Amino acid sequence: MGKVQVLTWNDGGQGNVFNGEAIDEWSAVLDELENTPGKAGLVITSDDPKFFSSGLDVPWVMQQPDVKPFVSQLEDFFIRLSLLNMPVVAAINGHAYAGGAVLACAADFRYMRADRGRFCFSEVKLGLPFTAPLIEVIRLLPAPGALYELALTGDAWGGDECAARGVVSAALQDKDVLPAAIARAEQLAEFDRPTYTTIKRGLRRLKP
């Protein structure tokens, strides 16, 4: 795929959850990507037949004597991905719940399955309010009305509704999601990378 790297998340059927080990692995990948020379793009997808990402590894989190270091690490990761110095496109080929939906928001563009999978901020139902940095990340979703409703209701939307409300660029059949995401990343990767990065970071105005 030339300039575009496809990152396929595989955590052995656990739902592609975020825990300390996962964040360390993601951070190592970002280290490598940030230093990739020349034109480049990234597509994020999953090999799990059900989940793009189900969010936090709740059992692991509950075992931690102090969750503050992990929460800070998670916030830093999402902000870093949001500001990555190349185009980032999410191929959402399964459920994107909670932290999985935040991951999708950190991407520049999103494509989603129309026939299966839901996009949901379940935090309000779980009694887990967003931290201030994570609020800034979900606000990157270019559909403020949809974001407001999703965040305050915890409703789970399918691909067609997400496309109609501007949450994703398109809802497609499963076989077409990854090719569409790659095609968009390839298109964006042709732009001058420093220029693209400067514009993206200017629009997002997050603090690394």
Side-chain angles (χ1 to χ4, degrees):
M1 273 156 272
K3 305 174 184 68
V4 173
Q5 303 292 320
V6 177
L7 193 162
T8 304
W9 196 354
N10 173 11
D11 72 353
Q14 301 304 306
N16 292 335
V17 291
F18 289 104
N19 51 37
E21 181 180 358
I23 293 297
D24 287 342
E25 292 176 354
W26 274 98
S27 297
V29 170
L30 294 186
D31 287 341
E32 183 177 347
L33 290 169
E34 285 173 345
N35 293 302
T36 301
K39 295 181 177 181
L42 174 65
V43 171
I44 299 172
T45 191
S46 162
D47 78 341
D48 190 304
K50 185 175 181 180
F51 290 103
F52 174 71
S53 170
S54 58
L56 290 181
D57 183 347
V58 175
W60 180 89
V61 171
M62 303 232 2
Q63 292 174 359
Q64 304 311 301
D66 181 5
V67 299
K68 290 180 181 178
F70 171 69
V71 171
S72 178
Q73 188 182 25
L74 187 68
E75 292 168 344
D76 290 346
F77 160 68
F78 281 128
I79 291 173
R80 186 179 177 192
L81 179 62
S82 300
L83 300 176
L84 190 66
N85 62 345
M86 64 180 65
V88 180
V89 183
I92 306 170
N93 55 339
H95 297 308
Y97 284 132
V102 179
L103 177 66
C105 290
D108 304 352
F109 295 92
R110 288 149 293 279
Y111 292 84
M112 187 174 176
R113 284 184 68 165
D115 59 328
R116 183 178 178 183
R118 296 289 184 267
F119 189 102
C120 175
F121 293 119
S122 53
E123 285 80 359
V124 69
K125 293 183 176 179
L126 298 174
L128 297 171
F130 292 106
T131 65
L134 294 184
I135 285 284
E136 293 308 308
V137 174
I138 67 172
R139 279 179 175 163
L140 299 176
L141 203 67
L147 171 62
Y148 188 90
E149 187 171 340
L150 283 165
L152 290 182
T153 65
D155 289 346
W157 293 359
D160 287 335
E161 185 163 11
C162 283
R165 300 289 297 273
V167 174
V168 300
S169 296
L172 306 162
Q173 294 301 304
D174 181 33
K175 65 182 179 61
D176 297 323
V177 174
L178 183 57
I182 292 171
R184 172 51 69 93
E186 288 176 337
Q187 174 199 21
L188 299 174
E190 287 301 315
F191 295 132
D192 177 72
R193 185 170 167 183
T195 300
Y196 182 93
T197 300
T198 298
I199 293 172
K200 175 166 81 168
R201 291 177 177 175
L203 289 169
R204 296 192 155 195
R205 296 185 180 278
L206 294 174
K207 294 181 179 180

